[in-house]
Amino acid sequence: MRDRYPDYDVADKRATPSWNDATRTALDQRLAVHPGPRFLDAAAFATLQALCGRILPQGERTHPVPLAAYVDEKLWLDKRAGFRNAELPPLREAWQRGLAALEAEAQRAYGRGFAALDPASQDALVGRMAAGGLHDPAWGDMPCALFFAERVMAEIPRAYYAHPSAWNEIGFGGPASPRGYVRLDFDKRDPWEAAEAQPGREAEARKANSRVGR
Amino acid sequence: MLHGASAMLGASVLADSAVEHYRGSFDNPGMYTPLVVSAVTMAAGIDGASGQWLPRRMRDGMYALSGAVGAIGVGFHTYNVLRRPGGLNWLNAFYAAPIGAPAALSLAGAIGLAADEIAETSHPDRLKLFGIPVGRALSAFTALGLMGTVSEAGLMHFRGSFQNPFMWLPVSLPPIAAALTAKAAIEPAGERDGRPMTRSWLWLTSAMGIAGVGFHAFGVSRAMGGWRNWSQNVVDGPPLPAPPSFSALAIAALAALRLRDLEDA
Amino acid sequence: MSDFEASTPLARDGRAPNVFREGGWTPMRQYSETEEVDFAIVGTGAGGGTLAARLAEKGFSVVAFDAGPFFRPLEDFASDEESQSKLYWLDERIVDGADPLVMGGNNSGKCVGGSTVHFAMVSLRFRPEHFKARTLLGYGADWPVDWREMWGYYDQVERALSISGPLSYPWGPARPAYPYRPHPMNACAQAMAVGCEHMGMKWAPMPLATVSAPRGESPPCVQRGFCRFGCSTNAKQSALVVWIPRALKAGAEVRDLAMVGRVELGSGGQVTGLHYHREGAWRFQKAKNVVVAGYAIETPRLLLNSACPDAPDGLANSSGLVGKYLMTQPNQGVFGRTKEESRWYKGPPILCVSEHWNYCDDKNFPGGYTLMSQGPMPQEWVNIQVGARKLWGSDLRHAMLDYNHMVGMKVVGEGLPSVHNSVTLADEVDQYGLRIPRITYSWTEGDKALIAHSMDQMQGCLEGANATDIFRQEQDTNHLNGTARMGDDPRTSVVNPDGRTWDHPNLWVCDGSTFPTTGGVNPSLTIQAMALRTADRIEALAARGEL
């Protein structure tokens, strides 16, 4: 994946007026997430890690965003979304059952655990789950497509895009208080915003991005 | 005194356009022009007011440049407004390039040119600009300049909803000063009382221009993050360099009044 | 209760948080639980917060309850979507029906100030005809109030909130200029303006409840863009910074972290007070009047949970309509990519409006709608990507890379009232032991026609603005209304035009749940206008001895 915002690190702005104390505290907590598992058992956590690796593959990262840890933390706190589809069990049970069912589907289809499958086989199973095509008894009365849409896709991508690494990747300005933004027109960038690299002009972007924390 | 007013106006334009064009990220290389030209005007004004080391011709060239660039700037700013969605509407008047602002540069140049004309002659009371006695011409000119500045301040303070009662000052004091100065421009000769009323209002306007910097500094301090958030609030908050343009024009008007006195004598 | 929730109330011991000062306090009058206060108000958002302020200012004794915490935005609000979910009502609710609603941050707040703490500040008036939609336009229901009276209250709310908006508004009858000037439009709003002109529709800068110049202790908006996650500068004129300070100053008491579980019915059809849970125990507050202002889910839930032998189907429910006619507003979107950088996270999320289809009757669907520009934060945006485009894997990561090049629009439509859409009680209970709501929702055929029409219009706008790779977000909803509808007839409504329940003369409802129709605009301004009206009506009734 081409680095659109080379050398941009939203954390460089930590000491600037773009971040207030509440933000610093919130992001310190985010980065210090317990590696887990605290709620799931080791086997389910391994399945979850493998699943996260397919929902948002981070093969190129030396320090991938610990997505499974965030999901496990949410389960440990039982932090719910404020609603659930009538066909789904509560948050914790949905995840426990869904991960066990995914494991059972892997064993049934490939004779191996989900985490031990190659990425193509994992993707095939995820695709079938998304399309409502998995029916192992382990799912119980929970429709697999609903589990995928309302739990997997509601929680894993949100965890990823709550992480500063993801903000750097998409060039999001990140925290903004007390300082917000001045330049709002098309193709206008405040000096404390990420600079997008035009092909062949990466050096310019790098230079601008090294200055966002000034 | 007129050179000094020119320099002061040049300085105000320099600082104001620096901040505003920095906000515009100097997208168009032309946006550096007013910075250079207002600095040149300021230099010419300082030279004219102090030692006059530069040959007059060169100084006049600098003033003329200023006058021309101001006019071109008005054109550019108008284009900037018209190409935005909605074109000429209140939203763009508030937030796009201020159409009238570059005219201050033209004013500075014109005042400087007049100053040199006056210095050249031993009988300034007989000097004429466009066929009009120079004192009258300059009085009319500075009155118009004051009213232009009043409209810009009025527009910006309207954008700010006149949320602070002091924001009414630049739309109430200077118009009176401008009206009195305009009266001086047209009234029959023979008024020899020294126009104390007009002078007082002009000094008041001049003082208000300086005090305005203080008010605007207070405005920056009460925006979110205050002065610590200067990189936003100096640019987005009330413009610190804008109010002294009232002072510069008031001083020029005072100089014009002195010429009027000579003409009346 | 899980440990991420705050559990210690701050409004106690004669003081309440001063929202304008870090660590600051403001004096607060307090009432004893045995003192029969004039009004106990359940909820402190657009309805309850506004009413608490106005009733206290009129000299009534008022205690207002909120289930959530009392925040000081300057010190408590981070610039962060995830951690700011503390503003939302995240307690469990069951959703079903053909088109189950998305709740939580989408439409429900749980803190002092209610949903106005995280709303997008859009402050629009109903089209006058929408108050008489049944009679004049042939769909929905009529409001039992006159639009001219409502417009007087709109004037008052707009002044109270110093709404920043255009000098002249392109649609509807003449109205005064907004008290504050409009905010500058960001790139995405400019794209919408270009698109509207392409489609032959008028547009305007959006009237917003965030100040464009200093006002009192509120500094002007700094365009930080996190409005939907709490305004950490107090530029946003939420109930928390406008009405709650006024209420406290006028002698009202606010009880934070106080979950009301049941309204007590006494003899003679009169209510006597309410049971609430605070600091680990159930308590009872005596009151001469109880006002329920919990919004379209918690209001019917409380009325239904208050069932007792004298009201076996719940309070105020002799018509059987408590919880019925739940309405939401279609909130579909269309998005596209631009060659230029839009960086749509800057500025308030919604800066451009077109009410063309609220005021145009030449159309093939009932109801009207508003179009508005968009500016989602990364988590919101990925939610749209996975929901609308069903992306996952590296496709999702790649699509997200275009974040800074996106523009988009959304509709806020007039969802039609249907008796089949409802709030009922599920058997499951929450952390307080109270039965949780079950929310049943399905679009009507009219809604579907409106949605299809609006998406074609938005697509046309984005094409006109030269956006490419355009896609549609087919499913989304936002504001809620209905469930305790107001009317002239006790058989077909729950409350009268004053918000007074037909069944219990000292039980009132003051929030969006009284709306007979949703109108084609965001409801907060109308909820506040109705609250001002209710306050005036209560004062008039009290003066006549009819309270």
Side-chain angles (χ1 to χ4, degrees), chain A residues 30 55 57 60 80 84 176-177 183 185 187 193-194 196, chain C residues 80 92-93 190 224 232 341 343 345-346 393 397 405 428:
Chain A
R30 178 128 345 122
I55 300 303
E60 86 290 1
R80 305 191 186 186
R84 78 168 200 268
S177 184
R183 298 163 185 84
D185 289 347
D187 277 340
E193 286 185 279
E196 183 171 6
Chain C
D80 181 59
E92 197 88 293
R93 290 157 164 179
Q190 292 176 26
R224 53 190 286 275
S232 62
E341 293 172 8
R343 298 183 188 261
Y345 52 83
K346 296 192 278 190
R397 267 185 85 187
H405 285 269
E428 211 173 308

PDB file of all heavy atoms in Angstrom, chain A residues 30 55 57 60 80 84 176-177 183 185 187 193-194 196, chain C residues 80 92-93 190 224 232 341 343 345-346 393 397 405 428:
ATOM      1  N   ARG A  30      -5.770   4.259  25.378  1.00  0.00           N
ATOM      2  CA  ARG A  30      -5.967   3.447  24.174  1.00  0.00           C
ATOM      3  C   ARG A  30      -4.690   2.704  23.825  1.00  0.00           C
ATOM      4  O   ARG A  30      -4.702   1.525  23.519  1.00  0.00           O
ATOM      5  CB  ARG A  30      -6.378   4.353  23.004  1.00  0.00           C
ATOM      6  CG  ARG A  30      -6.558   3.602  21.705  1.00  0.00           C
ATOM      7  CD  ARG A  30      -7.892   3.874  21.045  1.00  0.00           C
ATOM      8  NE  ARG A  30      -8.844   4.494  21.932  1.00  0.00           N
ATOM      9  CZ  ARG A  30      -9.413   5.666  21.686  1.00  0.00           C
ATOM     10  NH1 ARG A  30      -9.132   6.315  20.581  1.00  0.00           N
ATOM     11  NH2 ARG A  30     -10.260   6.169  22.535  1.00  0.00           N
ATOM     12  N   ILE A  55     -10.252  -9.129   8.555  1.00  0.00           N
ATOM     13  CA  ILE A  55     -11.133  -7.959   8.402  1.00  0.00           C
ATOM     14  C   ILE A  55     -10.305  -6.726   8.075  1.00  0.00           C
ATOM     15  O   ILE A  55     -10.678  -5.900   7.236  1.00  0.00           O
ATOM     16  CB  ILE A  55     -11.964  -7.728   9.689  1.00  0.00           C
ATOM     17  CG1 ILE A  55     -12.842  -8.948   9.987  1.00  0.00           C
ATOM     18  CG2 ILE A  55     -12.820  -6.470   9.572  1.00  0.00           C
ATOM     19  CD1 ILE A  55     -13.787  -9.342   8.882  1.00  0.00           C
ATOM     20  N   PRO A  57      -6.412  -6.568   7.304  1.00  0.00           N
ATOM     21  CA  PRO A  57      -5.064  -7.153   7.223  1.00  0.00           C
ATOM     22  C   PRO A  57      -4.007  -6.072   7.459  1.00  0.00           C
ATOM     23  O   PRO A  57      -4.122  -4.965   6.933  1.00  0.00           O
ATOM     24  CB  PRO A  57      -4.980  -7.673   5.780  1.00  0.00           C
ATOM     25  CG  PRO A  57      -6.363  -7.585   5.221  1.00  0.00           C
ATOM     26  CD  PRO A  57      -7.097  -6.563   6.012  1.00  0.00           C
ATOM     27  N   GLU A  60       1.827  -5.602   6.634  1.00  0.00           N
ATOM     28  CA  GLU A  60       3.012  -4.770   6.423  1.00  0.00           C
ATOM     29  C   GLU A  60       3.485  -4.097   7.696  1.00  0.00           C
ATOM     30  O   GLU A  60       4.559  -3.514   7.722  1.00  0.00           O
ATOM     31  CB  GLU A  60       2.705  -3.728   5.353  1.00  0.00           C
ATOM     32  CG  GLU A  60       2.049  -2.429   5.832  1.00  0.00           C
ATOM     33  CD  GLU A  60       0.604  -2.558   6.291  1.00  0.00           C
ATOM     34  OE1 GLU A  60       0.055  -3.673   6.270  1.00  0.00           O
ATOM     35  OE2 GLU A  60       0.029  -1.518   6.701  1.00  0.00           O
ATOM     36  N   ARG A  80     -21.623  -2.139  25.792  1.00  0.00           N
ATOM     37  CA  ARG A  80     -22.539  -2.443  24.696  1.00  0.00           C
ATOM     38  C   ARG A  80     -22.780  -1.238  23.803  1.00  0.00           C
ATOM     39  O   ARG A  80     -22.360  -0.131  24.109  1.00  0.00           O
ATOM     40  CB  ARG A  80     -23.855  -2.952  25.269  1.00  0.00           C
ATOM     41  CG  ARG A  80     -23.621  -4.146  26.190  1.00  0.00           C
ATOM     42  CD  ARG A  80     -24.911  -4.817  26.550  1.00  0.00           C
ATOM     43  NE  ARG A  80     -24.677  -5.864  27.551  1.00  0.00           N
ATOM     44  CZ  ARG A  80     -25.616  -6.686  27.958  1.00  0.00           C
ATOM     45  NH1 ARG A  80     -26.846  -6.589  27.479  1.00  0.00           N
ATOM     46  NH2 ARG A  80     -25.351  -7.607  28.860  1.00  0.00           N
ATOM     47  N   ARG A  84     -29.473  -3.941  20.411  1.00  0.00           N
ATOM     48  CA  ARG A  84     -29.091  -5.173  19.723  1.00  0.00           C
ATOM     49  C   ARG A  84     -30.290  -5.740  18.991  1.00  0.00           C
ATOM     50  O   ARG A  84     -31.428  -5.625  19.449  1.00  0.00           O
ATOM     51  CB  ARG A  84     -28.485  -6.179  20.701  1.00  0.00           C
ATOM     52  CG  ARG A  84     -29.452  -6.921  21.552  1.00  0.00           C
ATOM     53  CD  ARG A  84     -28.763  -8.094  22.252  1.00  0.00           C
ATOM     54  NE  ARG A  84     -29.750  -9.072  22.674  1.00  0.00           N
ATOM     55  CZ  ARG A  84     -30.333  -9.072  23.867  1.00  0.00           C
ATOM     56  NH1 ARG A  84     -30.018  -8.169  24.770  1.00  0.00           N
ATOM     57  NH2 ARG A  84     -31.227  -9.984  24.161  1.00  0.00           N
ATOM     58  N   ALA A 176      -8.425  17.754  18.037  1.00  0.00           N
ATOM     59  CA  ALA A 176      -8.450  19.171  17.652  1.00  0.00           C
ATOM     60  C   ALA A 176      -9.155  19.985  18.727  1.00  0.00           C
ATOM     61  O   ALA A 176     -10.285  20.409  18.550  1.00  0.00           O
ATOM     62  CB  ALA A 176      -9.138  19.331  16.299  1.00  0.00           C
ATOM     63  N   SER A 177      -8.473  20.191  19.849  1.00  0.00           N
ATOM     64  CA  SER A 177      -9.004  21.098  20.865  1.00  0.00           C
ATOM     65  C   SER A 177      -7.895  21.405  21.860  1.00  0.00           C
ATOM     66  O   SER A 177      -7.238  20.487  22.314  1.00  0.00           O
ATOM     67  CB  SER A 177     -10.185  20.477  21.605  1.00  0.00           C
ATOM     68  OG  SER A 177     -10.728  21.403  22.512  1.00  0.00           O
ATOM     69  N   ARG A 183      -8.295  26.724   7.712  1.00  0.00           N
ATOM     70  CA  ARG A 183      -8.471  26.721   6.250  1.00  0.00           C
ATOM     71  C   ARG A 183      -9.423  25.609   5.850  1.00  0.00           C
ATOM     72  O   ARG A 183      -9.100  24.429   5.991  1.00  0.00           O
ATOM     73  CB  ARG A 183      -7.107  26.562   5.584  1.00  0.00           C
ATOM     74  CG  ARG A 183      -6.174  27.738   5.910  1.00  0.00           C
ATOM     75  CD  ARG A 183      -4.716  27.410   5.619  1.00  0.00           C
ATOM     76  NE  ARG A 183      -3.829  28.504   6.052  1.00  0.00           N
ATOM     77  CZ  ARG A 183      -3.391  28.649   7.294  1.00  0.00           C
ATOM     78  NH1 ARG A 183      -3.719  27.801   8.237  1.00  0.00           N
ATOM     79  NH2 ARG A 183      -2.604  29.657   7.611  1.00  0.00           N
ATOM     80  N   ASP A 185     -11.318  25.478   2.747  1.00  0.00           N
ATOM     81  CA  ASP A 185     -11.639  25.325   1.329  1.00  0.00           C
ATOM     82  C   ASP A 185     -10.976  24.072   0.741  1.00  0.00           C
ATOM     83  O   ASP A 185     -10.099  23.483   1.349  1.00  0.00           O
ATOM     84  CB  ASP A 185     -11.156  26.554   0.545  1.00  0.00           C
ATOM     85  CG  ASP A 185     -11.993  27.789   0.838  1.00  0.00           C
ATOM     86  OD1 ASP A 185     -13.071  27.635   1.434  1.00  0.00           O
ATOM     87  OD2 ASP A 185     -11.551  28.893   0.484  1.00  0.00           O
ATOM     88  N   ASP A 187      -8.518  21.751  -1.190  1.00  0.00           N
ATOM     89  CA  ASP A 187      -7.063  21.796  -1.371  1.00  0.00           C
ATOM     90  C   ASP A 187      -6.381  22.790  -0.443  1.00  0.00           C
ATOM     91  O   ASP A 187      -5.328  23.329  -0.766  1.00  0.00           O
ATOM     92  CB  ASP A 187      -6.707  22.116  -2.835  1.00  0.00           C
ATOM     93  CG  ASP A 187      -6.737  20.864  -3.697  1.00  0.00           C
ATOM     94  OD1 ASP A 187      -6.650  19.753  -3.132  1.00  0.00           O
ATOM     95  OD2 ASP A 187      -6.849  20.992  -4.927  1.00  0.00           O
ATOM     96  N   GLU A 193      -1.810  20.001   9.679  1.00  0.00           N
ATOM     97  CA  GLU A 193      -2.519  18.861   9.089  1.00  0.00           C
ATOM     98  C   GLU A 193      -1.564  18.020   8.249  1.00  0.00           C
ATOM     99  O   GLU A 193      -0.549  18.508   7.756  1.00  0.00           O
ATOM    100  CB  GLU A 193      -3.638  19.369   8.175  1.00  0.00           C
ATOM    101  CG  GLU A 193      -4.827  19.931   8.914  1.00  0.00           C
ATOM    102  CD  GLU A 193      -5.925  20.300   7.944  1.00  0.00           C
ATOM    103  OE1 GLU A 193      -5.861  21.390   7.342  1.00  0.00           O
ATOM    104  OE2 GLU A 193      -6.836  19.492   7.780  1.00  0.00           O
ATOM    105  N   ALA A 194      -1.978  16.751   8.028  1.00  0.00           N
ATOM    106  CA  ALA A 194      -1.179  15.833   7.217  1.00  0.00           C
ATOM    107  C   ALA A 194      -1.078  16.348   5.784  1.00  0.00           C
ATOM    108  O   ALA A 194      -2.051  16.843   5.226  1.00  0.00           O
ATOM    109  CB  ALA A 194      -1.840  14.459   7.219  1.00  0.00           C
ATOM    110  N   GLU A 196      -0.519  15.357   1.906  1.00  0.00           N
ATOM    111  CA  GLU A 196      -0.618  14.193   1.033  1.00  0.00           C
ATOM    112  C   GLU A 196       0.490  14.245  -0.007  1.00  0.00           C
ATOM    113  O   GLU A 196       0.727  15.285  -0.621  1.00  0.00           O
ATOM    114  CB  GLU A 196      -1.987  14.182   0.347  1.00  0.00           C
ATOM    115  CG  GLU A 196      -2.195  12.955  -0.514  1.00  0.00           C
ATOM    116  CD  GLU A 196      -3.616  12.826  -1.025  1.00  0.00           C
ATOM    117  OE1 GLU A 196      -4.418  13.752  -0.797  1.00  0.00           O
ATOM    118  OE2 GLU A 196      -3.916  11.784  -1.641  1.00  0.00           O
TER     119      GLU A 196
ATOM    120  N   ASP C  80     -12.062  12.798  20.585  1.00  0.00           N
ATOM    121  CA  ASP C  80     -11.881  11.384  20.292  1.00  0.00           C
ATOM    122  C   ASP C  80     -13.253  10.717  20.227  1.00  0.00           C
ATOM    123  O   ASP C  80     -14.006  10.767  21.190  1.00  0.00           O
ATOM    124  CB  ASP C  80     -11.029  10.753  21.396  1.00  0.00           C
ATOM    125  CG  ASP C  80     -10.783   9.283  21.159  1.00  0.00           C
ATOM    126  OD1 ASP C  80     -10.214   8.957  20.108  1.00  0.00           O
ATOM    127  OD2 ASP C  80     -11.164   8.469  22.015  1.00  0.00           O
ATOM    128  N   GLU C  92     -28.863  -1.432  27.123  1.00  0.00           N
ATOM    129  CA  GLU C  92     -29.422  -2.329  26.116  1.00  0.00           C
ATOM    130  C   GLU C  92     -30.852  -1.954  25.717  1.00  0.00           C
ATOM    131  O   GLU C  92     -31.678  -1.601  26.564  1.00  0.00           O
ATOM    132  CB  GLU C  92     -29.426  -3.752  26.660  1.00  0.00           C
ATOM    133  CG  GLU C  92     -29.599  -4.798  25.584  1.00  0.00           C
ATOM    134  CD  GLU C  92     -28.280  -5.237  24.964  1.00  0.00           C
ATOM    135  OE1 GLU C  92     -27.632  -4.413  24.294  1.00  0.00           O
ATOM    136  OE2 GLU C  92     -27.895  -6.396  25.162  1.00  0.00           O
ATOM    137  N   ARG C  93     -31.100  -2.033  24.428  1.00  0.00           N
ATOM    138  CA  ARG C  93     -32.454  -1.925  23.878  1.00  0.00           C
ATOM    139  C   ARG C  93     -32.534  -2.956  22.767  1.00  0.00           C
ATOM    140  O   ARG C  93     -31.558  -3.156  22.034  1.00  0.00           O
ATOM    141  CB  ARG C  93     -32.686  -0.524  23.297  1.00  0.00           C
ATOM    142  CG  ARG C  93     -32.772   0.567  24.362  1.00  0.00           C
ATOM    143  CD  ARG C  93     -32.441   1.914  23.785  1.00  0.00           C
ATOM    144  NE  ARG C  93     -32.862   3.014  24.648  1.00  0.00           N
ATOM    145  CZ  ARG C  93     -32.662   4.296  24.368  1.00  0.00           C
ATOM    146  NH1 ARG C  93     -32.040   4.656  23.266  1.00  0.00           N
ATOM    147  NH2 ARG C  93     -33.077   5.235  25.193  1.00  0.00           N
ATOM    148  N   GLN C 190     -19.317  23.409   0.098  1.00  0.00           N
ATOM    149  CA  GLN C 190     -19.206  24.121  -1.184  1.00  0.00           C
ATOM    150  C   GLN C 190     -19.552  23.194  -2.340  1.00  0.00           C
ATOM    151  O   GLN C 190     -20.207  23.602  -3.308  1.00  0.00           O
ATOM    152  CB  GLN C 190     -17.799  24.687  -1.356  1.00  0.00           C
ATOM    153  CG  GLN C 190     -17.489  25.809  -0.367  1.00  0.00           C
ATOM    154  CD  GLN C 190     -16.045  26.301  -0.491  1.00  0.00           C
ATOM    155  OE1 GLN C 190     -15.424  26.196  -1.532  1.00  0.00           O
ATOM    156  NE2 GLN C 190     -15.513  26.821   0.598  1.00  0.00           N
ATOM    157  N   ARG C 224     -13.451  22.628  14.897  1.00  0.00           N
ATOM    158  CA  ARG C 224     -12.682  21.415  15.202  1.00  0.00           C
ATOM    159  C   ARG C 224     -13.338  20.153  14.669  1.00  0.00           C
ATOM    160  O   ARG C 224     -12.698  19.109  14.543  1.00  0.00           O
ATOM    161  CB  ARG C 224     -12.411  21.313  16.705  1.00  0.00           C
ATOM    162  CG  ARG C 224     -13.628  21.428  17.577  1.00  0.00           C
ATOM    163  CD  ARG C 224     -13.226  21.556  19.042  1.00  0.00           C
ATOM    164  NE  ARG C 224     -12.760  20.307  19.571  1.00  0.00           N
ATOM    165  CZ  ARG C 224     -13.559  19.349  20.062  1.00  0.00           C
ATOM    166  NH1 ARG C 224     -14.877  19.511  20.067  1.00  0.00           N
ATOM    167  NH2 ARG C 224     -13.052  18.245  20.530  1.00  0.00           N
ATOM    168  N   SER C 232     -15.933  20.580  23.050  1.00  0.00           N
ATOM    169  CA  SER C 232     -15.034  20.809  24.185  1.00  0.00           C
ATOM    170  C   SER C 232     -14.725  22.285  24.382  1.00  0.00           C
ATOM    171  O   SER C 232     -13.905  22.640  25.221  1.00  0.00           O
ATOM    172  CB  SER C 232     -13.738  20.036  23.974  1.00  0.00           C
ATOM    173  OG  SER C 232     -13.085  20.513  22.817  1.00  0.00           O
ATOM    174  N   GLU C 341      -8.474  17.813  -2.478  1.00  0.00           N
ATOM    175  CA  GLU C 341      -8.617  17.380  -1.082  1.00  0.00           C
ATOM    176  C   GLU C 341      -9.781  18.136  -0.440  1.00  0.00           C
ATOM    177  O   GLU C 341      -9.836  19.357  -0.497  1.00  0.00           O
ATOM    178  CB  GLU C 341      -7.334  17.703  -0.300  1.00  0.00           C
ATOM    179  CG  GLU C 341      -6.144  16.886  -0.743  1.00  0.00           C
ATOM    180  CD  GLU C 341      -4.861  17.359  -0.081  1.00  0.00           C
ATOM    181  OE1 GLU C 341      -4.918  18.218   0.825  1.00  0.00           O
ATOM    182  OE2 GLU C 341      -3.797  16.861  -0.472  1.00  0.00           O
ATOM    183  N   ARG C 343     -10.888  17.186   2.913  1.00  0.00           N
ATOM    184  CA  ARG C 343     -10.603  17.169   4.368  1.00  0.00           C
ATOM    185  C   ARG C 343     -11.859  17.536   5.149  1.00  0.00           C
ATOM    186  O   ARG C 343     -11.910  18.524   5.890  1.00  0.00           O
ATOM    187  CB  ARG C 343      -9.463  18.135   4.695  1.00  0.00           C
ATOM    188  CG  ARG C 343      -8.167  17.746   4.014  1.00  0.00           C
ATOM    189  CD  ARG C 343      -7.026  18.663   4.388  1.00  0.00           C
ATOM    190  NE  ARG C 343      -5.854  18.384   3.580  1.00  0.00           N
ATOM    191  CZ  ARG C 343      -4.825  17.651   3.989  1.00  0.00           C
ATOM    192  NH1 ARG C 343      -4.808  17.143   5.198  1.00  0.00           N
ATOM    193  NH2 ARG C 343      -3.808  17.431   3.198  1.00  0.00           N
ATOM    194  N   TYR C 345     -13.262  16.558   7.691  1.00  0.00           N
ATOM    195  CA  TYR C 345     -13.353  16.500   9.152  1.00  0.00           C
ATOM    196  C   TYR C 345     -13.312  17.899   9.759  1.00  0.00           C
ATOM    197  O   TYR C 345     -13.501  18.057  10.961  1.00  0.00           O
ATOM    198  CB  TYR C 345     -12.221  15.644   9.733  1.00  0.00           C
ATOM    199  CG  TYR C 345     -10.822  16.015   9.264  1.00  0.00           C
ATOM    200  CD1 TYR C 345     -10.111  17.044   9.862  1.00  0.00           C
ATOM    201  CD2 TYR C 345     -10.235  15.332   8.202  1.00  0.00           C
ATOM    202  CE1 TYR C 345      -8.842  17.386   9.418  1.00  0.00           C
ATOM    203  CE2 TYR C 345      -8.960  15.662   7.758  1.00  0.00           C
ATOM    204  CZ  TYR C 345      -8.267  16.690   8.370  1.00  0.00           C
ATOM    205  OH  TYR C 345      -7.015  17.032   7.923  1.00  0.00           O
ATOM    206  N   LYS C 346     -13.068  18.913   8.927  1.00  0.00           N
ATOM    207  CA  LYS C 346     -12.932  20.280   9.455  1.00  0.00           C
ATOM    208  C   LYS C 346     -14.263  21.012   9.454  1.00  0.00           C
ATOM    209  O   LYS C 346     -15.011  20.939   8.489  1.00  0.00           O
ATOM    210  CB  LYS C 346     -11.917  21.057   8.609  1.00  0.00           C
ATOM    211  CG  LYS C 346     -10.523  20.483   8.677  1.00  0.00           C
ATOM    212  CD  LYS C 346      -9.486  21.418   8.084  1.00  0.00           C
ATOM    213  CE  LYS C 346      -9.389  21.343   6.594  1.00  0.00           C
ATOM    214  NZ  LYS C 346      -8.214  22.082   6.087  1.00  0.00           N
ATOM    215  N   GLY C 393     -11.562  -6.433   4.724  1.00  0.00           N
ATOM    216  CA  GLY C 393     -10.258  -6.838   4.224  1.00  0.00           C
ATOM    217  C   GLY C 393      -9.492  -5.670   3.630  1.00  0.00           C
ATOM    218  O   GLY C 393      -9.763  -4.508   3.935  1.00  0.00           O
ATOM    219  N   ARG C 397      -9.442  -1.219   3.740  1.00  0.00           N
ATOM    220  CA  ARG C 397      -8.333  -0.301   4.049  1.00  0.00           C
ATOM    221  C   ARG C 397      -8.044   0.624   2.871  1.00  0.00           C
ATOM    222  O   ARG C 397      -7.766   1.810   3.050  1.00  0.00           O
ATOM    223  CB  ARG C 397      -7.078  -1.086   4.437  1.00  0.00           C
ATOM    224  CG  ARG C 397      -6.947  -1.289   5.932  1.00  0.00           C
ATOM    225  CD  ARG C 397      -5.634  -1.951   6.293  1.00  0.00           C
ATOM    226  NE  ARG C 397      -4.546  -0.997   6.433  1.00  0.00           N
ATOM    227  CZ  ARG C 397      -3.271  -1.367   6.611  1.00  0.00           C
ATOM    228  NH1 ARG C 397      -2.946  -2.647   6.653  1.00  0.00           N
ATOM    229  NH2 ARG C 397      -2.329  -0.463   6.739  1.00  0.00           N
ATOM    230  N   HIS C 405     -10.547  12.871   0.448  1.00  0.00           N
ATOM    231  CA  HIS C 405     -11.025  13.291  -0.882  1.00  0.00           C
ATOM    232  C   HIS C 405     -12.518  13.065  -1.039  1.00  0.00           C
ATOM    233  O   HIS C 405     -13.013  13.052  -2.162  1.00  0.00           O
ATOM    234  CB  HIS C 405     -10.282  12.510  -1.973  1.00  0.00           C
ATOM    235  CG  HIS C 405      -8.871  12.980  -2.186  1.00  0.00           C
ATOM    236  ND1 HIS C 405      -8.525  13.938  -3.095  1.00  0.00           N
ATOM    237  CD2 HIS C 405      -7.722  12.634  -1.563  1.00  0.00           C
ATOM    238  CE1 HIS C 405      -7.229  14.156  -3.040  1.00  0.00           C
ATOM    239  NE2 HIS C 405      -6.704  13.370  -2.121  1.00  0.00           N
ATOM    240  N   GLU C 428     -36.516  -8.742  29.275  1.00  0.00           N
ATOM    241  CA  GLU C 428     -35.175  -8.550  29.833  1.00  0.00           C
ATOM    242  C   GLU C 428     -35.138  -7.284  30.701  1.00  0.00           C
ATOM    243  O   GLU C 428     -35.832  -6.310  30.394  1.00  0.00           O
ATOM    244  CB  GLU C 428     -34.235  -8.372  28.638  1.00  0.00           C
ATOM    245  CG  GLU C 428     -32.838  -8.863  28.824  1.00  0.00           C
ATOM    246  CD  GLU C 428     -32.087  -8.776  27.490  1.00  0.00           C
ATOM    247  OE1 GLU C 428     -32.592  -9.288  26.469  1.00  0.00           O
ATOM    248  OE2 GLU C 428     -30.985  -8.197  27.487  1.00  0.00           O
TER     249      GLU C 428
END
